[in-house]
């Protein structure tokens, strides 16, 4: 049973041994935007919606279904930060969601630490990650830091919060993949980093224990599902989907085309430092061994298609874009750079804004639609090239999932422009599937990863058809369009070097 706790909804999917979906239930919950750039959720609602969908999924399988659950796996929106009372389990503040930018000023002052942070945690200094969110709560909620120092408060990402509640307050733990997204976990020594904690004023005793992503975390209390069920898998959503895609070999890459785009590459036991704006992260811990990954995020993937629908009114449904794109031979020289909230990896330009370039009198709405779809593919290429350069590994292909991967035009164009084969698996619920697999392994339900890999079935493969000259022309056009919207012209390497020269900054005042 996979508990898939996402940003906008809680879901539960129950899989059978072959990885087929046996039951599924989903419930949306509220995000709150109390100020510009701030995003919060109610931790109690995260928990109650998750429990509710799990119970519903069980119910749909008939009586005593809980008896047939081998194990529970948790996968979650990452980085989202919750602090609660050890004694009562009551949160002291709403959950600060990964998207929340409230600590941007904080992070800017901390830029001198960029080199050190990247070396220790594999991440860039950014409000996205948990550390500054947690520091903010300790700073802003009255008495919180003192109480945390006295051991009265606990911190957790959403996985930890769910573990705590499922076990009736018995488990305070997380896994390596989630810990590696907090910006306070040293991914080499596998410890909470004391230097960072001291700098941010975060007491060690409030942090959860960190363990393998697959293995025994504890049991649910009886009140949840009528019997105790072992929880034996935990991973952050993107790492879970890498696992669900069976990207077990170094060099294997997956891309999730959801609202945003998330590319992860398995780099095996190698912890690869990025010189090209990617993040280094822990994919999972399994059997006492750490597997590392390189990650590149695209802020606007499917969201660009939503924008065509909701703001421009060019389409009524996302699926219409496929027919529109196929109705013309190419985008007619039009490029759409969806830098609505800046550009993510590998460009990292938070001040850039979007543009549509190459317009002529002959430009029609279909060209804009096609250019929007193509922008998902171009951004993916940029991240894949950075991955190749950082890892030195020749890429062999790409496994895809997420809502927009239903679009065959997009996937064919992606394969063409990437010059690599692409494969879409039969089950595109890879995030939940990964958590189920991790739990299944942890419970001994599966004997090995080979057991699991045997389940993986392709739905459709896409192979490159485009001529090299044409590919080059398109890629050049895209880079030129990106160049026009960028505000920060320096390269990542230069930013890194200047960051490395810095020293300590006190910023909590
Ligand atoms: P998330 O999990 O991030 O909420 P999903 O994986 O459910 O996102 O994917 C939804 C996104 O995919 C939406 O942004 C939507 O615009 C896009 N999308 C869905 N179907 C298609 C399609 N056929 N073509 C292009 N984009 C699509």
């Amino acid at each position: 049973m996979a508990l898939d706790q996402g940003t906008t909804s809680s879901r539960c999917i129950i899989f059978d041994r072959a990885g087929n979906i046996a039951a599924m239930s989903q419930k949306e919950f509220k995000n709150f935007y109390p100020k510009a750039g701030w995003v919060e959720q109610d931790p109690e609602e995260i928990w109650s919606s998750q429990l509710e969908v799990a119970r519903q999924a069980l119910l749909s399988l008939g009586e005593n279904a809980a008896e047939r659950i081998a194990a529970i796996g948790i996968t979650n929106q990452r980085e989202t930060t919750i602090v609660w009372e050890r004694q009562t389990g009551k949160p002291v503040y709403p959950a600060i969601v990964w998207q929340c930018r409230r600590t941007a000023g904080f992070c800017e002052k901390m830029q001198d630490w960029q080199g050190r942070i990247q070396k220790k945690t594999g991440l860039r200094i950014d409000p996205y990650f948990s550390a500054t969110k947690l520091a903010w709560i300790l700073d802003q909620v009255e008495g919180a830091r003192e109480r945390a120092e006295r051991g009265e408060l606990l911190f957790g990402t959403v996985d930890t919060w769910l573990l705590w509640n499922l076990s009736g307050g018995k488990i305070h733990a997380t896994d390596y993949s989630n810990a590696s997204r907090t910006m306070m976990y040293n991914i080499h020594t596998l410890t909470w980093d004391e230097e960072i904690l001291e700098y941010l004023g975060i007491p060690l005793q409030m942090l959860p224990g960190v363990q393998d992503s697959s293995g025994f975390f504890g049991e649910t209390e009886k009140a949840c599902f009528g019997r105790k069920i072992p929880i034996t898998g935990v991973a952050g959503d993107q790492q879970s989907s890498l696992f669900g895609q069976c990207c077990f070999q170094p060099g294997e890459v997956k891309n999730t085309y959801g609202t945003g785009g998330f590319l992860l590459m398995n780099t095996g036991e190698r912890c690869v430092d990025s010189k090209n704006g990617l993040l280094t992260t822990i994919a999972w811990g399994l059997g006492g061994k750490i597997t590392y990954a390189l990650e590149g995020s695209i802020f606007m993937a499917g969201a660009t298609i939503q924008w065509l629908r909701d703001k421009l009114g060019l389409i009524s449904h996302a699926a219409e874009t496929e027919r529109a794109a196929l109705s013309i031979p190419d985008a007619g020289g039009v490029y759409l750079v969806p830098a609505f909230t800046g550009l993510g990896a590998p460009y990292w330009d938070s001040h850039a804004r979007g543009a549509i370039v190459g317009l002529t009198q002959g430009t029609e709405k279909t060209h804009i639609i096609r250019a929007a779809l193509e922008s998902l593919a171009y951004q993916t290429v940029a991240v894949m090239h950075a991955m190749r350069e950082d890892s030195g590994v020749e890429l062999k292909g790409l496994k895809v999932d997420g809502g927009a991967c239903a679009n065959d035009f997009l996937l064919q164009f992606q394969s063409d422009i990437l010059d690599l084969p692409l494969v879409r698996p039969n089950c595109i619920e890879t995030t939940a599937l990964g958590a189920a697999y991790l739990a299944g392994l942890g419970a001994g339900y599966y004997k090995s990863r080979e057991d699991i890999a045997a389940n993986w079935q392709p739905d459709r493969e896409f192979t490159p058809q485009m001529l090299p000259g044409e590919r080059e022309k398109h890629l050049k056009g895209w880079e030129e369009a990106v160049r026009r919207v960028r505000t920060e012209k320096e390269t990542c390497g230069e930013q890194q070097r200047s960051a490395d020269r810095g020293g300590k900054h006190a910023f909590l005042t």
Side-chain angles (χ1 to χ4, degrees), residues 476-491:
K476 252 185 156 157
W478 166 257
E479 285 302 331
E480 173 56 24
V482 169
R483 200 187 57 74
R484 293 208 217 174
V485 307
R486 288 185 75 166
T487 60
E488 296 166 15
K489 304 294 180 200
E490 72 264 59
T491 66

Side-chain angles (χ1 to χ4, degrees), residues 304-315:
T304 314
I305 308 306
Q306 280 169 289
W307 176 75
L308 293 183
R309 185 192 64 194
D310 300 338
K311 302 290 180 197
L312 299 194
L314 292 184
I315 49 169

